[in-house]
Amino acid sequence: MKNDSSVNSCTLWGLLHIKVIKCNNLRNLDSLNIKNVKALFGRQRDKSDPYVTAFLEDYRLLKTRHIDDDLDPVFNEEFYCPVAHCTEGITFKVKDKDLIKDESLGKYFLPVSELIQTVDQKDIDEDSSLNEGDLKRVGVHKVVYLDKKKDHGTLEFFVEFIPVRMLSKTMEVPGSYFSQTKGNSVKLYMNADDDGSSPVIKYGADEKVWTPPRLWRDIYDAICNAKVFVYMVGWSIDTCQCLLRGDELEEARNKGKYDPQIGPLLKQKAEEGVKVNIMQWDDYSSGVMFPGMMKTYDEKTRTYFRGTKVDAAFMNMVGGETNTLLEGQSKKMAFTHHQKFIIMDCPKENGEGKELLAFIGGIDLTEGRWDNQKHPLFRTLRSLHRDDFYGKCFHTSKEDGPRQPWHDIHSAVRGPEAIHLVQAFQERWTKQADASKLVNLQYKGLLDDDELENSGGWCAQLSRSIDSRVNCFDPTIEQSFVQTNIDSFGWSPVSEKATKLSRRFCTASDEAVSYGRCLDSKKGRLVDTSIHNANIHHIRRARHSIYIESQYFMGSSFMWSKDRDVKCGNMIAAELTLKICEKIAAREPFTVYILLPMWMEGIPAAGATQGLLHWQRVTIEAMHKEVQKALDARMANSSDFGLKVSDYLNFYCLGNRETERGSEAKGTPDTEDEIALSKTRRHQIYIHSKMMIVDDEVALIGTANINQRSLDGCRDSEIMMTSWQPDHLATKDSIPHGDIHAFRLHIWAAITNQMDDAFRNPSSPECVKAFNKIAQENWQKYVGEQTVEMDSHLLPSPFEFVDGKLKARKGLKDGCFSDTKAPVLGRQSLIFPEIFLT
């Protein structure tokens, strides 16, 4: 999908299964190369060190390992590449790995037309479920002369295109490292605390009432009840934070057995004999005298637990084996271990024996995260947030405020799925820490699937973004990989110039796609990109609606109007766009709601923040343009008129505003920001969530944002749990009314402070109108001159489309965010490389 059109381009939406087999008779470009001076004095001269890449225009599909000193390299590497691209074809490039600059050994271009074949009447006569125009599954197997020159050598490869209609037929994501589990109990959390003040949610045929759980209270109780072990993983862990607040905090301190402060609590449990292991990101920029650019408290935590019975390991990211020293060091500093989960043993709910309990989601156990749906700005500065003031969007202080409100999502699971979280912990710990300090949970009887199954009725599937540089994958996993037997297909020979072999197969049958491996490969190392794949899988399954909350939203650079070579190719934006366009063409109702921060955390005028806004803007612009094209096409070919992009796709943010009533600000405003905000008394509610709900039947909750850092697999490490109730699945005509449905309604009721019946059917025009009406009314309150109370927080995004162009929303002075001089649309950074921002 791209903005310029070509008669030779076509949309590939589905899966490319590619096998790079081998090369023969490659040229030797190393024989007189400077890097091989030593070889010149040896017995043999050096040879080329080849590797293969494949591209759809600027989008790289794959990169094999390089093989040293071999002009006839055998790769036999397979890749399963989801695609949602408008392309002219695949370009294979064979290169020689060099110290200074890799050199080309040759290339080959495979036109997309060779992978596209549609169903005809004969196919329909054989299978009545097919429709004319449906795409077939097509494969090619070739041995080609590179650059169409025999003396440049040959490349042998296999490519198979599987259209989207043949994929995503099951709830379980196929080809994943972790398979689905059954017999789990799942809890879904909004914010670190939920005070129950939101409008009541009744759901299901028996009108059950949703009872919101309280995350930090549940984590405190779970740690207190642990008898065998506690494993804690965090991007940031602040030992000073209290898991309880208000009266509960005072009661625990005065009468409770355990300290509600994180550090002392974990020390207490370790002193009791509970095995406590902490795994925290080691911010490479931090030190004893400097808290680091991200202020994650790694040095503070390290010092606090030194010499105690708590085993705390601090791990940084690792540069690639082909990186220069500078590149390696910069990647250690720029990329993070971003996973956040906790696992412990706990009493079974029936009181008979022990089981595993795990918490996983977006909320770190650190400063500023404790909040509830009221999202106070000034009213808790000296009470609930007395020792927990946090604000990175303005230059403000704990005396004057406002604090930065925080909206986030988390989840918990009891049952067999928790075993996979234990495995995820052990694999990271084993790679970068002392494996002997792990507890033998098998011996403790806590890793038995059958024993852990419960009657909760939930299925779940774990996914990650991580690679073998920082994760010790199951050593037997590669032995389970199955190589595709090329000769097993029904091939037909094809006559083609500049090839030694060319043959093709195609089928209209949509029999299940077989995945020969459960991990990707990049430069020869293993990579788990299952979070990206899971998001794609469930977007493709969507029938009615998608609700997303994410801290960042950027990707699908192959859709952008320019800068398509930026390595931000995650496909979420493209998949959402194609799904919407598919529904528009089919004249079926479908809506996507996306909740983002008003701006990314940081001073909004700062270069990094402006750069982030820029890349987000170009992503959203590309989506809008493609959806508008689909609407124009439908209106041109039907009696429909007046259709708008906002009928299908909308972006939102959250904000709050308070009067001086009940304010606990006691200082004298000093900074320019404090003076302004003491008058306007408003602040965005920061969206930190990483969640997608599809058709109210499945919830994807974890630590991964919608950006390349989170979804690449080789940048930030991430983790996510997908959960669903098999008794509550969507049909072609309706969404289910289970707990995920209730949870979405609870979130919407909390951020709007009302429970409109239209919310029950999110794909309906009535729901879109009601939701947007609330947002628009709140926008007037938020940007208005008069300071008012806002008990409803939903706002439209700070940008809007006018005549097809993205502009700052009406009501913002000079196109800048309220109370700032920072442009809403952002600007491209000249300092920060896009690889760090995207």
Side-chain angles (χ1 to χ4, degrees):
M1 186 184 306
K2 58 183 184 178
N3 292 335
D4 59 55
S5 59
S6 167
V7 294
N8 298 317
S9 65
C10 184
T11 296
L12 287 178
W13 189 20
L15 183 74
L16 283 175
H17 173 202
I18 302 174
K19 183 174 184 177
V20 179
I21 302 170
K22 63 182 179 179
C23 296
N24 284 113
N25 300 317
L26 296 176
R27 292 174 293 157
N28 186 11
L29 301 184
D30 280 355
S31 57
L32 294 176
N33 196 294
I34 293 176
K35 78 166 190 170
N36 299 310
V37 171
K38 290 183 180 179
L40 291 175
F41 295 96
R43 294 181 180 178
Q44 293 182 340
R45 289 186 174 182
D46 199 5
K47 299 176 183 177
S48 294
D49 311 311
Y51 65 90
V52 180
T53 58
F55 287 81
L56 298 176
E57 282 72 36
D58 293 315
Y59 179 85
R60 189 173 74 190
L61 290 165
L62 61 89
K63 184 175 185 177
T64 70
R65 71 192 188 282
H66 80 271
I67 299 177
D68 289 331
D69 304 329
D70 199 336
L71 303 182
D72 300 293
V74 177
F75 297 99
N76 278 329
E77 293 189 38
E78 291 195 54
F79 304 85
Y80 295 84
C81 310
V83 286
H85 300 65
C86 185
T87 181
E88 293 184 5
I90 305 172
T91 301
F92 290 90
K93 299 179 181 180
V94 183
K95 289 194 170 185
D96 173 27
K97 177 68 183 172
D98 278 343
L99 284 177
I100 300 175
K101 183 179 181 181
D102 297 353
E103 297 180 275
S104 175
L105 291 167
K107 60 184 179 180
Y108 175 78
F109 178 71
L110 177 69
V112 68
S113 57
E114 294 193 32
L115 298 174
I116 298 296
Q117 187 160 332
T118 57
V119 164
D120 56 25
Q121 188 57 49
K122 181 182 177 181
D123 299 312
I124 296 172
D125 291 341
E126 294 176 358
D127 183 352
S128 60
S129 68
L130 296 172
N131 298 304
E132 191 170 348
D134 284 348
L135 293 180
K136 292 184 177 183
R137 182 175 180 173
V138 178
V140 297
H141 175 213
K142 296 189 178 192
V143 180
V144 300
Y145 293 111
L146 294 170
D147 303 322
K148 299 182 180 181
K149 297 178 181 179
K150 290 186 178 182
D151 61 349
H152 283 199
T154 62
L155 166 67
E156 182 178 1
F157 65 85
F158 161 83
V159 176
E160 178 186 20
F161 172 59
I162 304 153
V164 72
R165 71 176 182 86
M166 298 183 180
L167 303 168
S168 303
K169 293 183 176 293
T170 62
M171 290 296 293
E172 181 178 25
V173 182
S176 293
Y177 188 80
F178 293 109
S179 58
Q180 72 172 34
T181 60
K182 301 177 182 179
N184 298 289
S185 295
V186 172
K187 279 187 178 181
L188 305 173
Y189 296 91
M190 180 187 70
N191 299 321
D193 194 53
D194 193 319
D195 65 7
S197 63
S198 303
V200 174
I201 302 300
K202 295 182 178 181
Y203 65 107
D206 54 354
E207 290 203 325
K208 290 190 292 184
V209 176
W210 175 260
T211 303
R214 301 172 59 208
L215 177 64
W216 279 22
R217 174 80 234 194
D218 285 357
I219 290 175
Y220 173 72
D221 290 341
I223 294 175
C224 290
N225 290 327
K227 303 299 182 184
V228 178
F229 79 106
V230 176
Y231 286 167
M232 181 177 291
V233 183
W235 176 79
S236 173
I237 299 171
D238 182 4
T239 55
C240 292
Q241 285 303 306
C242 289
L243 294 170
L244 305 179
R245 303 293 165 102
D247 293 341
E248 289 182 334
L249 174 60
E250 295 306 313
E251 182 180 0
R253 281 178 167 167
N254 295 329
K255 301 179 181 179
K257 179 180 179 181
Y258 295 105
D259 197 312
Q261 200 172 39
I262 293 170
L265 173 61
L266 294 176
K267 276 187 180 180
Q268 281 182 276
K269 297 306 295 186
E271 289 291 337
E272 287 181 357
V274 174
K275 191 73 180 73
V276 179
N277 291 45
I278 294 176
M279 193 157 54
Q280 183 173 346
W281 174 49
D282 188 357
D283 184 349
Y284 206 56
S285 69
S286 66
V288 177
M289 302 299 293
F290 178 60
M293 292 186 296
M294 307 303 291
K295 199 180 178 183
T296 58
Y297 295 108
D298 56 324
E299 293 300 329
K300 175 182 173 183
T301 308
R302 191 195 311 267
T303 301
Y304 184 85
F305 288 118
R306 185 177 291 131
T308 73
K309 293 185 178 181
V310 174
D311 285 317
F314 300 85
M315 306 172 185
N316 54 37
M317 296 305 288
V318 178
E321 61 280 352
T322 60
N323 291 151
T324 64
L325 178 63
L326 180 60
E327 288 172 335
Q329 296 303 308
S330 65
K331 286 184 178 180
K332 283 184 180 181
M333 186 176 294
F335 299 134
T336 78
H337 280 302
H338 199 235
Q339 296 179 344
K340 320 168 208 301
F341 62 99
I342 311 171
I343 326 156
M344 66 280 288
D345 66 288
C346 68
K348 285 189 174 181
E349 291 183 319
N350 62 11
E352 300 178 2
K354 296 184 180 66
E355 64 179 341
L356 296 176
L357 169 61
F359 298 87
I360 175 174
I363 305 179
D364 284 288
L365 297 182
T366 193
E367 63 176 356
R369 272 47 170 185
W370 192 94
D371 210 341
N372 56 37
Q373 53 266 61
K374 290 188 174 67
H375 299 295
L377 305 181
F378 299 93
R379 290 173 179 157
T380 56
L381 295 177
R382 293 174 175 267
S383 51
L384 295 177
H385 291 101
R386 180 182 57 195
D387 300 314
D388 186 22
F389 178 82
Y390 182 85
K392 287 191 175 181
C393 294
F394 294 97
H395 296 291
T396 57
S397 66
K398 61 183 180 181
E399 291 79 19
D400 299 299
R403 61 176 290 272
Q404 178 181 316
W406 200 270
H407 174 87
D408 220 328
I409 300 292
H410 221 78
S411 63
V413 60
R414 292 173 180 256
E417 187 62 17
I419 296 177
H420 286 164
L421 281 155
V422 169
Q423 182 179 347
F425 184 95
Q426 291 174 336
E427 288 184 356
R428 268 192 58 195
W429 184 279
T430 300
K431 185 71 176 184
Q432 293 190 284
D434 184 353
S436 68
K437 294 187 176 182
L438 293 169
V439 65
N440 188 339
L441 296 179
Q442 189 75 52
Y443 176 77
K444 300 286 186 180
L446 286 168
L447 298 182
D448 187 320
D449 283 43
D450 294 333
E451 274 295 311
L452 294 182
E453 273 197 27
N454 58 52
S455 58
W458 285 77
C459 292
Q461 185 173 17
L462 197 67
S463 52
R464 291 178 298 186
S465 293
I466 202 163
D467 70 22
S468 54
R469 292 173 298 180
V470 293
N471 193 78
C472 184
F473 293 108
D474 181 345
T476 67
I477 201 69
E478 285 190 271
Q479 300 171 17
S480 69
F481 294 171
V482 178
Q483 287 279 341
T484 299
N485 180 4
I486 301 298
D487 294 325
S488 65
F489 296 92
W491 294 107
S492 298
V494 176
S495 177
E496 183 180 348
K497 294 180 180 180
T499 65
K500 291 184 66 175
L501 170 72
S502 181
R503 52 183 181 167
R504 185 184 190 200
F505 83 87
C506 66
T507 177
S509 170
D510 63 351
E511 62 187 44
V513 176
S514 176
Y515 289 78
R517 56 189 297 144
C518 61
L519 291 171
D520 291 334
S521 177
K522 181 181 179 182
K523 300 180 183 178
R525 62 175 177 259
L526 297 175
V527 185
D528 190 344
T529 58
S530 53
I531 291 180
H532 186 229
N533 295 338
N535 276 273
I536 291 171
H537 177 85
H538 288 289
I539 291 170
R540 289 176 173 180
R541 292 191 73 259
R543 296 179 173 185
H544 305 284
S545 66
I546 296 175
Y547 175 56
I548 291 172
E549 294 186 5
S550 183
Q551 184 183 5
Y552 301 99
F553 189 82
M554 55 192 77
S556 305
S557 53
F558 50 88
M559 288 173 55
W560 298 351
S561 59
K562 60 179 182 178
D563 296 319
R564 291 183 200 149
D565 59 340
V566 170
K567 294 179 180 179
C568 185
N570 77 78
M571 292 167 45
I572 307 306
E575 290 287 343
L576 291 168
T577 303
L578 284 173
K579 173 58 69 171
I580 292 170
C581 293
E582 177 188 61
K583 292 295 186 178
I584 289 172
R587 303 181 72 178
E588 295 177 5
F590 189 81
T591 48
V592 176
Y593 304 82
I594 301 177
L595 185 64
L596 305 173
M598 191 176 294
W599 69 83
M600 298 78 168
E601 192 172 54
I603 302 303
T609 311
Q610 285 289 298
L612 291 165
L613 288 165
H614 168 79
W615 297 120
Q616 181 167 283
R617 171 176 63 83
V618 297
T619 301
I620 293 171
E621 279 182 332
M623 292 179 71
H624 189 278
K625 289 177 181 178
E626 293 298 328
V627 174
Q628 186 63 59
K629 286 180 187 177
L631 290 172
D632 292 342
R634 175 170 155 184
M635 290 187 286
N637 295 289
S638 72
S639 59
D640 297 326
F641 64 92
L643 298 176
K644 304 184 295 296
V645 173
S646 59
D647 295 336
Y648 294 87
L649 173 65
N650 287 279
F651 293 87
Y652 306 91
C653 61
L654 299 180
N656 194 16
R657 204 165 187 183
E658 291 178 350
T659 62
E660 293 188 18
R661 178 178 56 84
S663 173
E664 294 183 358
K666 297 299 182 181
T668 301
D670 183 31
T671 68
E672 183 179 345
D673 287 341
E674 287 175 349
I675 293 170
L677 295 171
S678 69
K679 298 174 182 177
T680 61
R681 309 188 69 78
R682 59 189 166 200
H683 199 295
Q684 70 157 316
I685 297 170
Y686 194 67
I687 307 300
H688 189 258
S689 325
K690 300 92 170 57
M691 176 187 72
M692 181 166 70
I693 291 177
V694 178
D695 289 341
D696 282 8
E697 72 172 359
V698 60
L700 293 77
I701 296 172
T703 68
N705 296 298
I706 298 177
N707 63 358
Q708 197 63 27
R709 291 182 64 114
S710 286
L711 301 175
D712 187 87
C714 298
R715 298 188 187 182
D716 292 349
S717 69
E718 307 284 5
I719 196 162
M720 180 180 79
M721 186 177 76
T722 301
S723 56
W724 66 94
Q725 295 171 291
D727 293 337
H728 296 280
L729 300 181
T731 67
K732 185 177 184 297
D733 301 315
S734 65
I735 60 173
H737 294 158
D739 286 355
I740 294 174
H741 172 70
F743 183 57
R744 178 187 58 78
L745 290 177
H746 174 62
I747 295 171
W748 284 18
I751 63 179
T752 65
N753 199 34
Q754 58 181 280
M755 179 51 222
D756 192 314
D757 260 357
F759 294 173
R760 298 185 184 278
N761 184 8
S763 65
S764 69
E766 292 77 18
C767 182
V768 177
K769 290 176 182 176
F771 212 59
N772 287 348
K773 183 174 183 290
I774 294 168
Q776 290 291 346
E777 290 174 350
N778 289 340
W779 180 255
Q780 299 306 316
K781 295 179 181 179
Y782 188 82
V783 301
E785 292 294 325
Q786 183 179 356
T787 301
V788 296
E789 292 288 335
M790 288 185 64
D791 54 9
S792 177
H793 304 302
L794 180 69
L795 302 172
S797 62
F799 53 79
E800 60 185 340
F801 283 87
V802 180
D803 298 327
K805 293 185 178 180
L806 194 67
K807 297 184 178 181
R809 187 168 293 278
K810 186 178 180 181
L812 295 176
K813 185 179 179 182
D814 299 325
C816 295
F817 295 106
S818 297
D819 307 313
T820 80
K821 297 178 181 178
V824 165
L825 302 184
R827 59 179 178 272
Q828 193 165 350
S829 175
L830 299 177
I831 299 174
F832 297 96
E834 61 266 14
I835 191 172
F836 297 153
L837 295 180
T838 60

